[in-house]
Amino acid sequence: MSTVGLVVNPVAGTGQGTRVGRRAHRLLERAGHVVHDLSAPTLAQATSRARQAATAGLDALVVVGGDGMVHLGVDVVAGTDVPLGVVAVGTGNDVARALGLPRADVDKAVAVIDRALRAAPQRVDALRAGPPDGSASTWCAGVLSCGLDAAVNARANALNWPRGHARYLRALPPELAAFRPYGYRVQVDDTVWESAGTLVAVANTPWFGGGLPIAPDAVPDDGLLDVVLAGPLTRTQALGVFPRIYRGRHVDDPRVQVLRGRRVLVEAAPALGPPPPVAFADGERVGALPLVVEVVPGALGVLR
């Protein structure tokens, strides 16, 4: 019998999170596990409760929702012996897709968690991101980005309607209308890329934005980051390149390159263009540049 902490996003799955969370709770208890509901009115409160419970002796933390809830769970348990279980019922579920976990099926997701609790978690890599001075850090699971997509993400998060992917479609035109290539200096291990640019994505897993393979060859347990860099594009060129992301063909464009490494420093280069947007990881705000992003091999235990 395991002691499991459960955190539910009530608005996940177009508002069905509470119902799904209750079912996950019942199924885990029916399987013989002790379940403590650590959900809270805000993500900050839920994170605090989950962190306290994890240090008090949880056998696992289970999150119910989308990539935002996975981000919460990873930030709590990465670098510890407490594994993470995911009931993926969000609109994106990119991390669950990358880890081969069930999506939009609470019964299958709980069955996977139950089976893994009786065996052993699998270790995968995680990202640790923060200012170069080390004053703070955040754990992430999937993709950290600070390009045009991050600007759209920020605008979409400020919208009250519509829900899901439609918010991003609504947020794209005004961001594209105001777009000018940003100024970047990116150091990947010993390689430096300094340019005006459209996109910088530091990837531990292939997908972001609800199934877009931004880094098609990224592997979550190879100890390396795939860093996708898109040079200066006009609005028209950006409209031409971005649809190719849907099939992962953007990496074939000569204006796009992929570097691989273990440590990435991303800074603004004011002489080359306006400052890049605030960075997002797993769809959640991380912070403004400069940022250091490092891969920590095997930092995250996953119930899969």
Side-chain angles (χ1 to χ4, degrees):
M1 181 173 63
S2 299
T3 301
V4 176
L6 183 70
V7 185
V8 179
N9 180 359
V11 299
T14 61
Q16 301 301 310
T18 298
R19 178 185 60 80
V20 172
R22 289 173 181 161
R23 179 158 183 79
H25 194 142
R26 288 195 303 269
L27 290 171
L28 286 166
E29 286 188 329
R30 192 179 301 168
H33 306 291
V34 176
V35 182
H36 297 294
D37 191 345
L38 305 174
S39 305
T42 68
L43 287 179
Q45 290 172 322
T47 301
S48 177
R49 293 187 66 183
R51 203 179 303 280
Q52 291 173 6
T55 58
L58 286 181
D59 294 307
L61 178 67
V62 175
V63 295
V64 180
D67 288 316
M69 292 303 294
V70 174
H71 182 76
L72 180 156
V74 170
D75 197 34
V76 169
V77 304
T80 77
D81 293 329
V82 179
L84 181 67
V86 179
V87 179
V89 292
T91 54
N93 301 322
D94 289 312
V95 177
R97 179 184 285 106
L99 297 177
L101 299 173
R103 289 172 284 140
D105 191 325
V106 61
D107 293 57
K108 286 185 179 179
V110 172
V112 167
I113 292 167
D114 175 51
R115 185 169 60 250
L117 281 169
R118 301 175 191 279
Q122 298 180 22
R123 308 299 300 189
V124 298
D125 305 339
L127 309 181
R128 187 163 52 200
D133 63 7
S135 58
S137 65
T138 300
W139 288 99
C140 321
V143 179
L144 180 146
S145 61
C146 52
L148 179 58
D149 62 293
V152 173
N153 197 337
R155 183 180 288 268
N157 285 352
L159 298 175
N160 294 322
W161 66 272
R163 287 182 172 178
H165 297 298
R167 282 193 306 171
Y168 294 90
L169 295 177
R170 183 184 170 202
L172 178 59
E175 284 300 326
L176 196 60
F179 172 69
R180 287 176 50 212
Y182 312 111
Y184 291 104
R185 183 183 187 276
V186 181
Q187 182 173 350
V188 183
D189 291 345
D190 296 325
T191 301
V192 175
W193 180 81
E194 196 164 7
S195 174
T198 306
L199 173 72
V200 172
V202 182
N204 184 46
T205 57
W207 294 283
F208 76 169
L212 303 181
I214 185 64
D217 298 323
V219 179
D221 58 1
D222 64 351
L224 291 171
L225 301 169
D226 284 32
V227 185
V228 182
L229 308 167
L233 301 174
T234 66
R235 297 184 187 97
T236 301
Q237 289 170 336
L239 281 173
V241 170
F242 270 68
R244 301 182 72 185
I245 297 176
Y246 283 87
R247 294 177 294 158
R249 297 299 304 275
H250 60 292
V251 296
D252 299 329
D253 191 291
R255 294 163 295 191
V256 178
Q257 60 178 300
V258 181
L259 302 178
R260 307 193 82 201
R262 294 176 171 82
R263 182 182 185 273
V264 182
L265 170 63
V266 188
E267 302 173 284
L272 298 174
V278 167
F280 279 72
D282 308 331
E284 298 296 311
R285 188 183 191 276
V286 171
L289 303 183
L291 287 173
V292 171
V293 188
E294 298 177 288
V295 62
V296 183
L300 178 64
V302 179
L303 298 172
R304 61 172 180 165

